[in-house]
Amino acid sequence: MSEQESFKVFSGTNSKYLAEKICNSLGCELGNMNITHFADGEFVVSYEESIRGQHVFLIQSTFPNSDNLMELLLMIDAAKRASAKSIIAVIPYFGWARQDRKDKPRVSIGAKLVADLLSVAGIDRLITMDLHADQIQGFFDIPVDHLYASGIFVPYIQSLKLENLAIATPDVGGSKRASTYAKFLGVPLVLCHKAREKANEVATMQIIGSVKDKNVILIDDMVDTGGTITKAADIMKEEGAISVRAIATHCVMSGSASEKVQNSQLEELVFTDSIPYSNRCAKVKQLSIADMFAETIRRVMDNQSISSQYII
């Protein structure tokens, strides 16, 4: 790396596990930073080493709770006030991304608000992965490096050596993503059409296409409550699928999601480690994105293209 001494990597509290793996891949030390909490829940961020004139990479996924986002905003502000040369936010999981438009009257567009907060705080570049909606990149007036977990998932799918493979999406909104996998692998695409009565609760679901005698892999960007993905798996088994697996980038897994997955017809559910997952489930497997993000940081520092990292 041509400017190896001119960049430093720091992490927020709950993404430290990933930052340490990224630093290990980069062959550098994780920067020394202190986050002090007050009795009322407020906290203050301070860098315990000089970052003057440095390119600063701040690793923090903005998953619930909102302290993770607030930590990142304070890290950005502190770096700006400490005379960092540039501030690059590395946000593997970009929270509030489901709020990318007004889908009914009198609601906020949370993703745009978060983009504005990050921009005003002072980031010069964003590195993220598998945004819920691609158009969120347009909410920023700075460079956005949007990575795809397909670089990790495609080799894993190929390693399974499944015959009669079919790629499926648990909802029509993810059809573009699933179609890309199906075309690359040269296998059929199956869609699920779902109707919701309220958020996070699936009322009805219909399968468009045949899954009979197929080994099905469901593709999604995240699993939150687990209701959609497990319902899709159960219906596909009823329709004659040999096996059903699921692959999703972000392991939100709220509430009883782990129990739902364990009791479902899913063979396994594969995530990246963009979000920490502590409520263990025997069917859940996590693949690390650390090398992918480390390579992206290298290429950003060396002014090299990152597009050659993409398989699809």
PDB file of all heavy atoms in Angstrom, residues 5 34 41 80 84-85 91 134 154 158 182 190 220 247 250 260 265 272:
ATOM      1  N   GLU A   5       1.369   4.482   5.998  1.00  0.00           N
ATOM      2  CA  GLU A   5       1.497   5.184   7.263  1.00  0.00           C
ATOM      3  C   GLU A   5       0.508   6.342   7.392  1.00  0.00           C
ATOM      4  O   GLU A   5       0.490   7.022   8.396  1.00  0.00           O
ATOM      5  CB  GLU A   5       2.937   5.709   7.408  1.00  0.00           C
ATOM      6  CG  GLU A   5       4.007   4.611   7.428  1.00  0.00           C
ATOM      7  CD  GLU A   5       3.761   3.561   8.492  1.00  0.00           C
ATOM      8  OE1 GLU A   5       3.456   3.932   9.633  1.00  0.00           O
ATOM      9  OE2 GLU A   5       3.842   2.360   8.176  1.00  0.00           O
ATOM     10  N   ASN A  34     -11.382   6.182  22.963  1.00  0.00           N
ATOM     11  CA  ASN A  34     -12.076   5.985  24.238  1.00  0.00           C
ATOM     12  C   ASN A  34     -13.489   6.554  24.153  1.00  0.00           C
ATOM     13  O   ASN A  34     -13.696   7.662  23.658  1.00  0.00           O
ATOM     14  CB  ASN A  34     -11.295   6.680  25.363  1.00  0.00           C
ATOM     15  CG  ASN A  34     -11.898   6.391  26.718  1.00  0.00           C
ATOM     16  OD1 ASN A  34     -12.244   5.260  27.038  1.00  0.00           O
ATOM     17  ND2 ASN A  34     -12.047   7.426  27.532  1.00  0.00           N
ATOM     18  N   GLY A  41     -26.708   8.174  30.412  1.00  0.00           N
ATOM     19  CA  GLY A  41     -26.698   7.513  29.111  1.00  0.00           C
ATOM     20  C   GLY A  41     -25.953   8.279  28.037  1.00  0.00           C
ATOM     21  O   GLY A  41     -25.663   7.742  26.968  1.00  0.00           O
ATOM     22  N   LYS A  80     -13.010  15.215  12.639  1.00  0.00           N
ATOM     23  CA  LYS A  80     -12.958  16.482  11.893  1.00  0.00           C
ATOM     24  C   LYS A  80     -12.274  17.559  12.723  1.00  0.00           C
ATOM     25  O   LYS A  80     -11.425  18.309  12.218  1.00  0.00           O
ATOM     26  CB  LYS A  80     -14.381  16.904  11.514  1.00  0.00           C
ATOM     27  CG  LYS A  80     -14.465  18.183  10.707  1.00  0.00           C
ATOM     28  CD  LYS A  80     -15.884  18.431  10.205  1.00  0.00           C
ATOM     29  CE  LYS A  80     -16.836  18.680  11.353  1.00  0.00           C
ATOM     30  NZ  LYS A  80     -18.198  19.045  10.863  1.00  0.00           N
ATOM     31  N   ALA A  84      -8.221  15.527  10.910  1.00  0.00           N
ATOM     32  CA  ALA A  84      -8.017  14.386  10.003  1.00  0.00           C
ATOM     33  C   ALA A  84      -8.031  14.882   8.565  1.00  0.00           C
ATOM     34  O   ALA A  84      -8.771  15.808   8.217  1.00  0.00           O
ATOM     35  CB  ALA A  84      -9.117  13.353  10.213  1.00  0.00           C
ATOM     36  N   LYS A  85      -7.211  14.265   7.721  1.00  0.00           N
ATOM     37  CA  LYS A  85      -7.145  14.677   6.312  1.00  0.00           C
ATOM     38  C   LYS A  85      -8.430  14.317   5.578  1.00  0.00           C
ATOM     39  O   LYS A  85      -8.963  15.096   4.800  1.00  0.00           O
ATOM     40  CB  LYS A  85      -5.945  14.011   5.636  1.00  0.00           C
ATOM     41  CG  LYS A  85      -5.731  14.480   4.200  1.00  0.00           C
ATOM     42  CD  LYS A  85      -4.431  13.927   3.636  1.00  0.00           C
ATOM     43  CE  LYS A  85      -4.181  14.477   2.238  1.00  0.00           C
ATOM     44  NZ  LYS A  85      -2.896  13.981   1.678  1.00  0.00           N
ATOM     45  N   ILE A  91     -19.637   1.529   6.893  1.00  0.00           N
ATOM     46  CA  ILE A  91     -20.903   1.131   7.520  1.00  0.00           C
ATOM     47  C   ILE A  91     -21.408  -0.134   6.820  1.00  0.00           C
ATOM     48  O   ILE A  91     -22.200  -0.055   5.870  1.00  0.00           O
ATOM     49  CB  ILE A  91     -21.953   2.263   7.417  1.00  0.00           C
ATOM     50  CG1 ILE A  91     -21.364   3.582   7.932  1.00  0.00           C
ATOM     51  CG2 ILE A  91     -23.214   1.890   8.181  1.00  0.00           C
ATOM     52  CD1 ILE A  91     -22.308   4.767   7.808  1.00  0.00           C
ATOM     53  N   ASP A 134     -31.024   0.550  -3.557  1.00  0.00           N
ATOM     54  CA  ASP A 134     -29.833   1.104  -4.213  1.00  0.00           C
ATOM     55  C   ASP A 134     -29.868   2.621  -4.329  1.00  0.00           C
ATOM     56  O   ASP A 134     -28.827   3.274  -4.333  1.00  0.00           O
ATOM     57  CB  ASP A 134     -29.672   0.498  -5.615  1.00  0.00           C
ATOM     58  CG  ASP A 134     -29.193  -0.950  -5.578  1.00  0.00           C
ATOM     59  OD1 ASP A 134     -28.805  -1.407  -4.489  1.00  0.00           O
ATOM     60  OD2 ASP A 134     -29.212  -1.614  -6.631  1.00  0.00           O
ATOM     61  N   VAL A 154     -21.695 -16.285  -3.486  1.00  0.00           N
ATOM     62  CA  VAL A 154     -21.650 -17.115  -4.706  1.00  0.00           C
ATOM     63  C   VAL A 154     -20.673 -18.283  -4.548  1.00  0.00           C
ATOM     64  O   VAL A 154     -21.033 -19.434  -4.832  1.00  0.00           O
ATOM     65  CB  VAL A 154     -21.329 -16.262  -5.951  1.00  0.00           C
ATOM     66  CG1 VAL A 154     -20.963 -17.154  -7.132  1.00  0.00           C
ATOM     67  CG2 VAL A 154     -22.532 -15.393  -6.323  1.00  0.00           C
ATOM     68  N   GLN A 158     -21.733 -22.258  -4.660  1.00  0.00           N
ATOM     69  CA  GLN A 158     -21.068 -23.207  -5.560  1.00  0.00           C
ATOM     70  C   GLN A 158     -20.436 -24.359  -4.794  1.00  0.00           C
ATOM     71  O   GLN A 158     -20.406 -25.492  -5.273  1.00  0.00           O
ATOM     72  CB  GLN A 158     -20.018 -22.468  -6.405  1.00  0.00           C
ATOM     73  CG  GLN A 158     -20.636 -21.503  -7.412  1.00  0.00           C
ATOM     74  CD  GLN A 158     -19.602 -20.617  -8.096  1.00  0.00           C
ATOM     75  OE1 GLN A 158     -18.585 -20.253  -7.500  1.00  0.00           O
ATOM     76  NE2 GLN A 158     -19.851 -20.247  -9.339  1.00  0.00           N
ATOM     77  N   ALA A 182     -29.479 -15.875 -10.107  1.00  0.00           N
ATOM     78  CA  ALA A 182     -29.997 -16.938 -10.977  1.00  0.00           C
ATOM     79  C   ALA A 182     -29.329 -16.907 -12.348  1.00  0.00           C
ATOM     80  O   ALA A 182     -28.963 -17.961 -12.898  1.00  0.00           O
ATOM     81  CB  ALA A 182     -31.513 -16.800 -11.113  1.00  0.00           C
ATOM     82  N   VAL A 190     -37.445 -18.269  -8.879  1.00  0.00           N
ATOM     83  CA  VAL A 190     -38.794 -18.409  -8.324  1.00  0.00           C
ATOM     84  C   VAL A 190     -39.076 -17.185  -7.455  1.00  0.00           C
ATOM     85  O   VAL A 190     -38.211 -16.749  -6.690  1.00  0.00           O
ATOM     86  CB  VAL A 190     -38.915 -19.694  -7.472  1.00  0.00           C
ATOM     87  CG1 VAL A 190     -40.298 -19.788  -6.853  1.00  0.00           C
ATOM     88  CG2 VAL A 190     -38.616 -20.919  -8.317  1.00  0.00           C
ATOM     89  N   ASP A 220     -31.960 -12.763   0.165  1.00  0.00           N
ATOM     90  CA  ASP A 220     -32.528 -11.523   0.701  1.00  0.00           C
ATOM     91  C   ASP A 220     -31.398 -10.642   1.214  1.00  0.00           C
ATOM     92  O   ASP A 220     -30.252 -11.093   1.352  1.00  0.00           O
ATOM     93  CB  ASP A 220     -33.527 -11.831   1.819  1.00  0.00           C
ATOM     94  CG  ASP A 220     -34.654 -10.802   1.893  1.00  0.00           C
ATOM     95  OD1 ASP A 220     -34.529  -9.741   1.256  1.00  0.00           O
ATOM     96  OD2 ASP A 220     -35.646 -11.059   2.596  1.00  0.00           O
ATOM     97  N   ILE A 247     -30.066 -17.257   2.204  1.00  0.00           N
ATOM     98  CA  ILE A 247     -28.850 -16.457   2.311  1.00  0.00           C
ATOM     99  C   ILE A 247     -29.275 -15.000   2.408  1.00  0.00           C
ATOM    100  O   ILE A 247     -30.040 -14.517   1.575  1.00  0.00           O
ATOM    101  CB  ILE A 247     -27.943 -16.687   1.082  1.00  0.00           C
ATOM    102  CG1 ILE A 247     -27.231 -18.033   1.228  1.00  0.00           C
ATOM    103  CG2 ILE A 247     -26.942 -15.562   0.921  1.00  0.00           C
ATOM    104  CD1 ILE A 247     -26.405 -18.414   0.039  1.00  0.00           C
ATOM    105  N   HIS A 250     -27.593  -9.233   6.022  1.00  0.00           N
ATOM    106  CA  HIS A 250     -27.571  -8.619   7.354  1.00  0.00           C
ATOM    107  C   HIS A 250     -28.424  -9.399   8.349  1.00  0.00           C
ATOM    108  O   HIS A 250     -29.603  -9.640   8.125  1.00  0.00           O
ATOM    109  CB  HIS A 250     -28.045  -7.173   7.265  1.00  0.00           C
ATOM    110  CG  HIS A 250     -27.293  -6.351   6.264  1.00  0.00           C
ATOM    111  ND1 HIS A 250     -25.941  -6.107   6.372  1.00  0.00           N
ATOM    112  CD2 HIS A 250     -27.704  -5.737   5.120  1.00  0.00           C
ATOM    113  CE1 HIS A 250     -25.547  -5.360   5.350  1.00  0.00           C
ATOM    114  NE2 HIS A 250     -26.594  -5.129   4.578  1.00  0.00           N
ATOM    115  N   LYS A 260     -37.965 -18.959  15.398  1.00  0.00           N
ATOM    116  CA  LYS A 260     -38.728 -19.207  14.168  1.00  0.00           C
ATOM    117  C   LYS A 260     -37.887 -19.973  13.152  1.00  0.00           C
ATOM    118  O   LYS A 260     -38.355 -20.914  12.517  1.00  0.00           O
ATOM    119  CB  LYS A 260     -39.195 -17.890  13.548  1.00  0.00           C
ATOM    120  CG  LYS A 260     -40.308 -17.197  14.287  1.00  0.00           C
ATOM    121  CD  LYS A 260     -40.654 -15.889  13.577  1.00  0.00           C
ATOM    122  CE  LYS A 260     -41.645 -15.070  14.380  1.00  0.00           C
ATOM    123  NZ  LYS A 260     -41.872 -13.741  13.774  1.00  0.00           N
ATOM    124  N   GLN A 265     -38.707 -24.990   8.159  1.00  0.00           N
ATOM    125  CA  GLN A 265     -38.227 -26.012   7.229  1.00  0.00           C
ATOM    126  C   GLN A 265     -36.871 -25.657   6.606  1.00  0.00           C
ATOM    127  O   GLN A 265     -36.376 -26.399   5.762  1.00  0.00           O
ATOM    128  CB  GLN A 265     -39.260 -26.216   6.103  1.00  0.00           C
ATOM    129  CG  GLN A 265     -40.589 -26.795   6.560  1.00  0.00           C
ATOM    130  CD  GLN A 265     -40.471 -28.265   6.956  1.00  0.00           C
ATOM    131  OE1 GLN A 265     -39.596 -28.974   6.485  1.00  0.00           O
ATOM    132  NE2 GLN A 265     -41.343 -28.715   7.850  1.00  0.00           N
ATOM    133  N   THR A 272     -23.733 -12.698   6.587  1.00  0.00           N
ATOM    134  CA  THR A 272     -22.391 -12.159   6.803  1.00  0.00           C
ATOM    135  C   THR A 272     -22.306 -11.730   8.272  1.00  0.00           C
ATOM    136  O   THR A 272     -23.296 -11.765   8.994  1.00  0.00           O
ATOM    137  CB  THR A 272     -22.101 -10.934   5.904  1.00  0.00           C
ATOM    138  OG1 THR A 272     -22.830  -9.801   6.397  1.00  0.00           O
ATOM    139  CG2 THR A 272     -22.480 -11.216   4.454  1.00  0.00           C
TER     140      THR A 272
END
